[in-house]
Amino acid sequence: MSRASDLANLIASGSTTIFGEAGVTSSDSTGKTTNLQQGLAKAWLRANGTGTVSITDSLNVSTFEDSATGVYKATFTNAMGNTTYTVIGTSAEGDKAQPRCVACGTSSDTGYLAASYGFVTVRMDNQNLDDMDLTATCVHGDLA
């Protein structure tokens, strides 16, 4: 079947409604895009965390800063509605065999703010903060 015939069959059935990015939400309001709906990531970041740090790719992240060895801050393009969102992350160092981890919201300088969030990258073998070639985080919560 082609996509056109699949769509025609769905519309003809009378029980399927299809909405685009700015379609009607479950509460029959309009204007929400899929990336703002509950349950989907509200921001994500993939960045180079060594040397001159830089964003490789992102959604809803305007800046990425390295404030100390292994200590990073990401600023949202569109702020979160509160500070009770969650951040998950991963990190990697290309030339080292030891595993790395990301700790999010771990201190006053890397905590959760409506406008930004902080995180640290840690070597698992010695528990020291360390800059990483790759840092990646994903944010879930409510936008303002």
Side-chain angles (χ1 to χ4, degrees), residues 49-51 53 64-73 131:
T50 59
V53 299
F64 174 62
E65 303 169 30
D66 181 3
S67 57
T69 300
V71 181
Y72 302 100
K73 176 183 172 184
D131 287 342

Side-chain angles (χ1 to χ4, degrees), residues 83-100:
T83 60
T84 58
Y85 55 89
T86 62
V87 179
I88 57 172
T90 187
S91 63
E93 187 71 14
D95 62 347
K96 299 182 178 87
Q98 294 298 324
R100 297 340 195 218

Side-chain angles (χ1 to χ4, degrees), residues 119-141:
F119 60 97
V120 297
T121 53
V122 181
R123 290 179 54 153
M124 296 302 291
D125 60 336
N126 61 15
Q127 290 78 46
N128 289 333
L129 296 177
D130 196 8
D131 287 342
M132 301 293 162
D133 291 337
L134 166 69
T135 61
T137 57
C138 183
V139 179
H140 290 271

Side-chain angles (χ1 to χ4, degrees), residues 24-30 32:
V24 178
T25 66
S26 60
S27 62
D28 290 330
S29 63
T30 59
K32 269 192 173 177

Side-chain angles (χ1 to χ4, degrees), residues 73-120:
K73 176 183 172 184
T75 302
F76 296 115
T77 304
N78 298 295
M80 299 300 286
N82 52 50
T83 60
T84 58
Y85 55 89
T86 62
V87 179
I88 57 172
T90 187
S91 63
E93 187 71 14
D95 62 347
K96 299 182 178 87
Q98 294 298 324
R100 297 340 195 218
C101 75
V102 171
C104 305
T106 57
S107 67
S108 61
D109 61 334
T110 60
Y112 295 172
L113 303 173
S116 64
Y117 64 98
F119 60 97
V120 297

